[in-house]
Amino acid sequence: MSGGRSLPVAVPGPLARGTLGRQLLVRVVVVVTLLAVALSTVATLVTRHLLVDRIDEQLTAATARQQHGHPGGPGGIPGGIALPGQPIGTVVIVQVPDGSTTGAVLEEDGSTGPGTRPIGDDAMERALAAADPDRHVTADLGSLGSYRLATRDDGDGRVVVALPLDEVNATLRLMVGVQALVTVVAIGAALVVTRTLVTRSLRPLHRLARISRDVAETPLHTGVVELGRVGSPEAAPGVGSEVAELSQTMNAMLDHVESALAAREASESQVRTFVADASHELRNPLAAIRGYAELTRRDRDELPEGTALALTRIDAEAARMSSLVEDMLLLARLDAGTAEGRAPELQLVEVDLCEVAVNAIRDARASGPDHQWRLHLPTESVWTLADPDRLHQVVVNLLANARVHTPPGTTVEVRVDPGLDEVRISVTDDGPGIDPDVVDHVFERFTRADAGRSRQRGSTGLGLAIVAAVVEAHHGRVGVTSEPGSTRFTIVLPAAP
C-alpha cells in the first residue's frame, strides 16, 4: 500500500556512542591528558637536569677537595683516600698503577677513620666500569644506590669521586607523584567542564534532531499535521551563528511543509467533496436509466434486433456505472472519515471469518463456474470485530479480482487462519501472476494489472482500493505477493477481544 507509516527514528542522547558530543568530549579529554603528560614530563626532565647540575657543581668541589687531600697533601690518609669536609655519602675510589683498588664512603660528619667505611668490591667494580674522565656520569653502585661520578686519571692512578643521588631521586619521585595527582584532577575537571559545555552547546542541535525525528515519525500522508519548531538558540552559551542559521532554516522548511500539506489537504478535500457529491447526484439519473431499460425488456421481442441489443448494452453499462458510482461513494466516505480524524461509519460486531469466507466463496462459485474454488477452514470459528457487510465486500472483491484476472480453470483457494492477537484470511490463485512493475501499486485507485493477468471483462480499478481502505478502517493491513503460478492476497485483522 502507498503512504505507509514511517518507522520510528531513534535519536541518541547528546553524549551517546558515536555522537558529535561524545567525539568532542573524548577528543578534549585526550588532548588535556596528552598536554598534562607532556608538561609533567618536561617539568620532570627540567627539574632533574637542574638538580643534577647542582650535584655536578658539588661533585666538582668534592673532586677538588679530594685532589687537595691526596697523599702528600694535608688531610691525606693511607691508601690515597681523603674525605675530610666532603658531604655525607661521598664515595672515593682510588686505583693505583699496580692495579690495587681502595674505596670508602663517608657515613657521618667525621674527618677521618670513624666517619668512613670501606665499600665492597662490587661497588668499586661498577664505579670503575662506568667512570669516564671526560664527563660526569650516573651509575648504580649496587647496595650503595645511584651515584653521580667524576673521574680523574694522572700518573698516580685513577681517582673516582661520587656523590649520592638519593635526594635527587626522592625529589623526582615526589614531583612525579604530585604531577600524577594533578594530572588526574585536571583530567577529571576537563571531563566535567567539557561535558557541561558540550551538552549546552549542542542542545540546539539535539533539539533539531528531535524535531527531525518527530517529522520522520509523523504520518504526513494523513493530511494536515502540526509540526514542532526549533527554539531560538541565540541565548544558549557557546552557540554560534551557524546553529542559529540552521535553526531558522529548519523552521522555514517546516513552515513550507505545513503550507504544502495544508494546500494538498484542501485540494484533496475539494476532490473528495466533488467525488462524493457527483457520485451521490449520479445515483438518481442512473437509477432512472436502469428503470427505463428494465421497462423496455417487456417489448424487446418486438423491437428490431439492433435496437434490442443497444438497450441490453445500455442496461449492462448502466449497472456497471452504478457499481462504479457506489464504489466511488464508499471510498469518498472512508476518506472523509480518515481525513477528519474520526473512524469511518462502520457497524462493528463480532464476525466469524469462517462464515464470511463460506458465503463469499459460495457467491464466487455461482459467478465463476469455470474456476476451481477451494476453501480451507480451521476446526473452530475465528472471530474478529468488524462490519460484516464491509468485510464480506472485501473478500468478495478479492475473489472477483482473482476471477476476472485469471483464465478459466484457475484454482482459487480461500484460507482462514486463527491467531492469538491477529487473525488472517488469504486468497491464493495459481494464475499467471501480477506484473512486477504493478504489484506494488495494486491497492492504488484505478490500477489495473492487465500486463500480467488476463481480463475477461471490464474492471473499474477500484476493487482492491476498496479492500485496502476497508481493511485500514478496521485497523488491519493487507498485502500481496505474486509470481507466475502463485498470487496471494493476505488480510490481517485484530482478533476479537
Coordinates of all heavy atoms in Angstrom, one line a residue, residues 259-318:
S259 N 2.6 24.3 5.0 CA 1.8 25.0 4.0 C 1.5 24.1 2.8 O 0.3 24.1 2.3 CB 2.6 26.3 3.5 OG 2.8 27.2 4.5
A260 N 2.5 23.3 2.4 CA 2.2 22.4 1.3 C 1.2 21.3 1.7 O 0.3 21.0 0.9 CB 3.5 21.7 0.9
L261 N 1.3 20.8 3.0 CA 0.3 19.8 3.4 C -1.1 20.4 3.5 O -2.1 19.8 3.2 CB 0.7 19.3 4.8 CG 2.0 18.4 4.8 CD1 2.4 18.0 6.2 CD2 1.8 17.1 4.0
A262 N -1.1 21.7 4.0 CA -2.5 22.3 4.1 C -3.1 22.5 2.7 O -4.3 22.3 2.5 CB -2.3 23.7 4.8
A263 N -2.2 22.9 1.7 CA -2.7 23.1 0.4 C -3.1 21.8 -0.2 O -4.2 21.7 -0.9 CB -1.6 23.8 -0.5
R264 N -2.3 20.8 0.0 CA -2.7 19.5 -0.5 C -4.0 18.9 0.1 O -4.8 18.4 -0.6 CB -1.6 18.5 -0.3 CG -1.8 17.1 -1.0 CD -0.8 16.1 -0.4 NE -1.2 15.7 0.9 CZ -0.5 14.7 1.6 NH1 0.5 14.1 1.1 NH2 -0.9 14.4 2.8
E265 N -4.1 19.1 1.4 CA -5.3 18.7 2.1 C -6.5 19.4 1.6 O -7.6 18.8 1.4 CB -5.1 18.8 3.6 CG -6.4 18.4 4.4 CD -6.7 16.9 4.2 OE1 -5.9 16.1 3.8 OE2 -7.9 16.6 4.5
A266 N -6.4 20.7 1.4 CA -7.5 21.5 0.9 C -7.9 21.0 -0.5 O -9.1 20.8 -0.8 CB -7.2 23.0 0.8
S267 N -6.9 20.7 -1.4 CA -7.2 20.2 -2.7 C -7.9 18.8 -2.7 O -8.9 18.6 -3.3 CB -5.9 20.2 -3.5 OG -6.1 19.6 -4.8
E268 N -7.3 18.0 -1.8 CA -7.9 16.6 -1.7 C -9.3 16.7 -1.1 O -10.2 15.9 -1.5 CB -7.0 15.7 -0.9 CG -5.7 15.4 -1.5 CD -4.8 14.5 -0.7 OE1 -5.2 14.2 0.5 OE2 -3.8 14.0 -1.2
S269 N -9.5 17.6 -0.2 CA -10.8 17.7 0.4 C -11.8 18.2 -0.6 O -13.0 17.7 -0.7 CB -10.8 18.8 1.6 OG -12.1 18.9 2.1
Q270 N -11.4 19.1 -1.5 CA -12.3 19.5 -2.6 C -12.6 18.3 -3.5 O -13.7 18.2 -4.0 CB -11.7 20.7 -3.4 CG -11.6 22.0 -2.6 CD -10.9 23.1 -3.3 OE1 -10.4 22.8 -4.4 NE2 -10.9 24.3 -2.8
V271 N -11.5 17.5 -3.8 CA -11.7 16.4 -4.7 C -12.7 15.4 -4.1 O -13.6 14.8 -4.7 CB -10.4 15.7 -5.1 CG1 -10.6 14.4 -5.8 CG2 -9.5 16.7 -5.9
R272 N -12.5 15.1 -2.7 CA -13.4 14.2 -2.1 C -14.8 14.7 -2.0 O -15.7 13.9 -2.3 CB -12.9 13.9 -0.6 CG -11.6 13.1 -0.5 CD -11.4 12.7 0.9 NE -11.2 13.8 1.8 CZ -10.0 14.3 2.1 NH1 -8.9 13.7 1.6 NH2 -9.8 15.3 2.9
T273 N -14.9 16.0 -1.8 CA -16.3 16.5 -1.8 C -16.9 16.4 -3.2 O -18.1 16.0 -3.3 CB -16.3 18.0 -1.3 OG1 -15.7 18.0 0.0 CG2 -17.7 18.6 -1.3
F274 N -16.2 16.7 -4.2 CA -16.7 16.6 -5.5 C -17.1 15.2 -5.9 O -18.1 14.9 -6.4 CB -15.7 17.1 -6.5 CG -16.0 16.8 -8.0 CD1 -17.0 17.6 -8.6 CD2 -15.4 15.8 -8.7 CE1 -17.3 17.3 -9.9 CE2 -15.7 15.5 -10.0 CZ -16.7 16.3 -10.6
V275 N -16.2 14.2 -5.6 CA -16.4 12.8 -5.9 C -17.7 12.3 -5.1 O -18.6 11.7 -5.7 CB -15.2 11.9 -5.5 CG1 -15.6 10.5 -5.7 CG2 -14.1 12.3 -6.5
A276 N -17.8 12.7 -3.8 CA -18.9 12.3 -3.1 C -20.2 12.9 -3.6 O -21.2 12.2 -3.8 CB -18.7 12.7 -1.6
D277 N -20.2 14.2 -3.9 CA -21.4 14.9 -4.4 C -21.7 14.3 -5.8 O -22.9 14.1 -6.1 CB -21.2 16.4 -4.5 CG -21.0 17.0 -3.1 OD1 -21.4 16.3 -2.1 OD2 -20.5 18.1 -3.0
A278 N -20.7 14.2 -6.7 CA -21.0 13.7 -8.0 C -21.6 12.3 -8.0 O -22.5 11.9 -8.7 CB -19.7 13.7 -8.8
S279 N -21.0 11.4 -7.1 CA -21.4 10.1 -7.0 C -22.9 10.0 -6.5 O -23.7 9.3 -7.0 CB -20.5 9.2 -6.1 OG -19.2 9.2 -6.6
H280 N -23.1 10.9 -5.5 CA -24.5 10.9 -5.0 C -25.5 11.4 -6.0 O -26.6 10.9 -6.1 CB -24.5 11.8 -3.7 CG -25.8 11.9 -3.1 ND1 -26.3 10.8 -2.3 CD2 -26.8 12.8 -3.0 CE1 -27.5 11.1 -1.8 NE2 -27.8 12.4 -2.3
E281 N -25.1 12.4 -6.7 CA -26.0 13.0 -7.7 C -26.2 12.1 -8.9 O -27.3 12.1 -9.6 CB -25.5 14.4 -8.2 CG -25.5 15.4 -7.2 CD -26.9 15.8 -6.7 OE1 -27.8 15.6 -7.4 OE2 -27.0 16.1 -5.5
L282 N -25.2 11.2 -9.2 CA -25.3 10.3 -10.3 C -26.3 9.1 -10.0 O -26.7 8.4 -10.9 CB -24.0 9.8 -10.7 CG -23.1 10.8 -11.5 CD1 -21.7 10.2 -11.7 CD2 -23.7 11.1 -12.9
R283 N -26.5 8.9 -8.8 CA -27.4 7.8 -8.4 C -28.7 7.9 -9.0 O -29.2 6.9 -9.6 CB -27.5 7.7 -6.9 CG -26.4 7.1 -6.2 CD -26.6 7.1 -4.7 NE -25.9 6.1 -3.9 CZ -26.1 5.9 -2.6 NH1 -27.0 6.6 -1.9 NH2 -25.4 4.9 -2.0
N284 N -29.4 9.1 -8.9 CA -30.7 9.2 -9.4 C -30.8 9.0 -10.9 O -31.7 8.2 -11.4 CB -31.3 10.5 -9.0 CG -31.5 10.6 -7.5 OD1 -31.7 9.6 -6.8 ND2 -31.5 11.8 -6.9
P285 N -30.0 9.7 -11.7 CA -30.2 9.5 -13.2 C -29.8 8.1 -13.6 O -30.4 7.5 -14.5 CB -29.2 10.5 -13.8 CG -28.3 11.0 -12.7 CD -29.1 10.8 -11.5
L286 N -28.8 7.5 -12.9 CA -28.5 6.1 -13.3 C -29.7 5.1 -12.9 O -30.0 4.2 -13.6 CB -27.2 5.7 -12.5 CG -25.9 6.2 -13.1 CD1 -24.8 5.8 -12.2 CD2 -25.7 5.6 -14.5
A287 N -30.3 5.4 -11.8 CA -31.5 4.6 -11.4 C -32.6 4.8 -12.4 O -33.3 3.8 -12.8 CB -31.9 5.0 -10.0
A288 N -32.8 6.0 -12.9 CA -33.8 6.2 -13.9 C -33.5 5.5 -15.2 O -34.3 4.9 -15.8 CB -33.9 7.7 -14.1
I289 N -32.2 5.6 -15.6 CA -31.8 4.9 -16.8 C -32.0 3.4 -16.7 O -32.6 2.7 -17.6 CB -30.3 5.2 -17.1 CG1 -30.2 6.7 -17.5 CG2 -29.8 4.3 -18.3 CD1 -28.7 7.1 -17.7
R290 N -31.6 2.8 -15.6 CA -31.8 1.4 -15.4 C -33.3 1.0 -15.3 O -33.7 0.0 -15.8 CB -31.1 1.0 -14.1 CG -29.6 1.1 -14.2 CD -28.9 0.5 -12.9 NE -29.2 -0.9 -12.9 CZ -28.8 -1.7 -11.9 NH1 -28.2 -1.2 -10.9 NH2 -29.0 -3.0 -11.9
G291 N -34.1 1.9 -14.7 CA -35.5 1.7 -14.7 C -36.2 1.7 -16.1 O -36.9 0.7 -16.4
Y292 N -35.8 2.7 -16.9 CA -36.4 2.7 -18.2 C -35.9 1.5 -19.1 O -36.6 0.9 -19.9 CB -36.0 4.0 -18.9 CG -36.9 5.1 -18.4 CD1 -36.4 6.2 -17.7 CD2 -38.3 5.1 -18.7 CE1 -37.2 7.2 -17.3 CE2 -39.1 6.2 -18.2 CZ -38.5 7.2 -17.5 OH -39.3 8.3 -17.1
A293 N -34.6 1.1 -18.9 CA -34.0 0.0 -19.6 C -34.8 -1.3 -19.2 O -35.0 -2.2 -20.0 CB -32.5 -0.1 -19.3
E294 N -35.1 -1.4 -17.9 CA -35.9 -2.5 -17.4 C -37.2 -2.6 -18.1 O -37.8 -3.7 -18.4 CB -36.0 -2.5 -15.9 CG -36.6 -3.7 -15.3 CD -35.8 -5.0 -15.4 OE1 -34.6 -4.9 -15.6 OE2 -36.4 -6.0 -15.4
L295 N -37.9 -1.4 -18.2 CA -39.2 -1.4 -18.9 C -39.2 -1.9 -20.3 O -40.2 -2.5 -20.8 CB -39.8 0.0 -18.8 CG -40.2 0.5 -17.4 CD1 -40.7 2.0 -17.5 CD2 -41.4 -0.3 -16.9
T296 N -38.1 -1.6 -21.0 CA -38.0 -2.0 -22.4 C -37.9 -3.5 -22.6 O -38.1 -4.0 -23.7 CB -36.8 -1.3 -23.1 OG1 -35.6 -1.7 -22.4 CG2 -36.9 0.2 -23.0
R297 N -37.6 -4.2 -21.5 CA -37.4 -5.6 -21.6 C -38.7 -6.3 -22.0 O -38.7 -7.4 -22.7 CB -36.9 -6.2 -20.3 CG -35.4 -5.9 -20.0 CD -34.9 -6.7 -18.9 NE -33.5 -6.4 -18.6 CZ -32.8 -7.0 -17.7 NH1 -33.4 -8.0 -17.0 NH2 -31.5 -6.7 -17.5
R298 N -39.8 -5.7 -21.6 CA -41.1 -6.3 -22.0 C -41.4 -6.4 -23.4 O -42.1 -7.3 -23.9 CB -42.2 -5.5 -21.3 CG -42.1 -5.4 -19.8 CD -43.1 -4.5 -19.2 NE -43.0 -4.4 -17.7 CZ -43.7 -3.6 -17.0 NH1 -44.7 -2.9 -17.5 NH2 -43.5 -3.5 -15.7
D299 N -40.9 -5.4 -24.2 CA -41.2 -5.3 -25.6 C -40.0 -5.5 -26.5 O -40.0 -5.2 -27.7 CB -41.8 -3.9 -25.9 CG -43.0 -3.6 -25.1 OD1 -43.8 -4.6 -24.8 OD2 -43.2 -2.4 -24.6
R300 N -38.9 -6.1 -25.9 CA -37.7 -6.2 -26.8 C -37.9 -7.2 -27.9 O -37.2 -7.2 -28.9 CB -36.5 -6.6 -25.9 CG -36.0 -5.5 -25.0 CD -34.7 -5.8 -24.3 NE -34.4 -4.7 -23.3 CZ -33.4 -4.7 -22.5 NH1 -32.5 -5.7 -22.6 NH2 -33.1 -3.7 -21.7
D301 N -38.8 -8.2 -27.6 CA -39.0 -9.2 -28.7 C -39.6 -8.5 -29.9 O -39.5 -9.1 -31.0 CB -39.9 -10.3 -28.2 CG -39.2 -11.1 -27.1 OD1 -37.9 -11.0 -27.0 OD2 -39.9 -11.8 -26.3
E302 N -40.3 -7.4 -29.7 CA -41.0 -6.8 -30.8 C -40.1 -5.7 -31.5 O -40.5 -5.1 -32.5 CB -42.3 -6.1 -30.3 CG -43.2 -7.1 -29.7 CD -44.5 -6.4 -29.1 OE1 -44.5 -5.1 -29.2 OE2 -45.3 -7.0 -28.5
L303 N -38.9 -5.4 -30.9 CA -38.1 -4.4 -31.4 C -37.1 -5.0 -32.4 O -36.8 -6.2 -32.4 CB -37.3 -3.7 -30.3 CG -38.1 -2.9 -29.3 CD1 -37.2 -2.4 -28.1 CD2 -38.8 -1.8 -29.9
P304 N -36.6 -4.2 -33.3 CA -35.5 -4.7 -34.2 C -34.3 -5.2 -33.4 O -34.1 -4.8 -32.3 CB -35.1 -3.4 -35.0 CG -36.3 -2.6 -35.0 CD -37.0 -2.8 -33.6
E305 N -33.6 -6.1 -34.0 CA -32.5 -6.8 -33.3 C -31.4 -5.8 -32.9 O -30.9 -5.9 -31.7 CB -31.8 -7.8 -34.2 CG -30.7 -8.6 -33.5 CD -30.1 -9.7 -34.4 OE1 -30.7 -9.9 -35.5 OE2 -29.1 -10.3 -34.0
G306 N -31.1 -4.8 -33.7 CA -30.1 -3.8 -33.3 C -30.6 -3.0 -32.2 O -29.8 -2.7 -31.2
T307 N -31.8 -2.6 -32.2 CA -32.4 -1.8 -31.1 C -32.4 -2.6 -29.8 O -32.0 -2.0 -28.7 CB -33.8 -1.3 -31.4 OG1 -33.7 -0.6 -32.6 CG2 -34.3 -0.4 -30.3
A308 N -32.8 -3.8 -29.8 CA -32.8 -4.7 -28.6 C -31.4 -4.9 -28.1 O -31.2 -4.8 -26.8 CB -33.4 -6.0 -29.0
L309 N -30.4 -5.0 -29.0 CA -29.1 -5.2 -28.5 C -28.6 -3.9 -27.8 O -27.9 -4.0 -26.8 CB -28.1 -5.6 -29.7 CG -26.7 -5.8 -29.3 CD1 -26.5 -6.9 -28.3 CD2 -25.9 -6.1 -30.6
A310 N -28.9 -2.8 -28.4 CA -28.5 -1.5 -27.8 C -29.1 -1.3 -26.5 O -28.4 -0.8 -25.5 CB -28.9 -0.3 -28.8
L311 N -30.4 -1.6 -26.3 CA -31.0 -1.5 -25.0 C -30.4 -2.4 -24.0 O -30.2 -2.1 -22.8 CB -32.5 -1.8 -25.1 CG -33.3 -0.7 -25.9 CD1 -34.7 -1.1 -26.1 CD2 -33.2 0.6 -25.1
T312 N -30.0 -3.6 -24.4 CA -29.3 -4.6 -23.5 C -28.0 -4.0 -23.0 O -27.6 -4.1 -21.8 CB -29.1 -5.9 -24.2 OG1 -30.4 -6.5 -24.6 CG2 -28.4 -6.9 -23.2
R313 N -27.2 -3.4 -24.0 CA -26.0 -2.8 -23.6 C -26.1 -1.6 -22.7 O -25.4 -1.4 -21.8 CB -25.2 -2.4 -24.9 CG -24.8 -3.6 -25.8 CD -23.9 -4.5 -25.0 NE -22.7 -3.8 -24.4 CZ -22.0 -4.2 -23.4 NH1 -22.4 -5.3 -22.7 NH2 -21.0 -3.5 -22.9
I314 N -27.2 -0.8 -22.9 CA -27.5 0.3 -22.1 C -27.7 -0.2 -20.6 O -27.3 0.4 -19.7 CB -28.7 1.1 -22.6 CG1 -28.3 1.9 -23.9 CG2 -29.2 2.1 -21.5 CD1 -29.4 2.5 -24.6
D315 N -28.5 -1.2 -20.5 CA -28.8 -1.8 -19.2 C -27.6 -2.3 -18.5 O -27.3 -2.0 -17.3 CB -29.8 -2.9 -19.4 CG -30.4 -3.4 -18.0 OD1 -30.2 -2.7 -17.0 OD2 -31.0 -4.5 -18.0
A316 N -26.7 -3.0 -19.3 CA -25.5 -3.5 -18.7 C -24.5 -2.4 -18.2 O -23.9 -2.5 -17.2 CB -24.8 -4.5 -19.7
E317 N -24.3 -1.4 -19.1 CA -23.4 -0.4 -18.8 C -23.9 0.5 -17.7 O -23.2 1.1 -16.9 CB -23.1 0.5 -20.0 CG -22.3 -0.3 -21.1 CD -21.0 -0.8 -20.6 OE1 -20.3 0.0 -19.8 OE2 -20.6 -1.9 -20.9
A318 N -25.3 0.7 -17.6 CA -25.8 1.4 -16.5 C -25.6 0.7 -15.2 O -25.3 1.4 -14.2 CB -27.3 1.7 -16.8

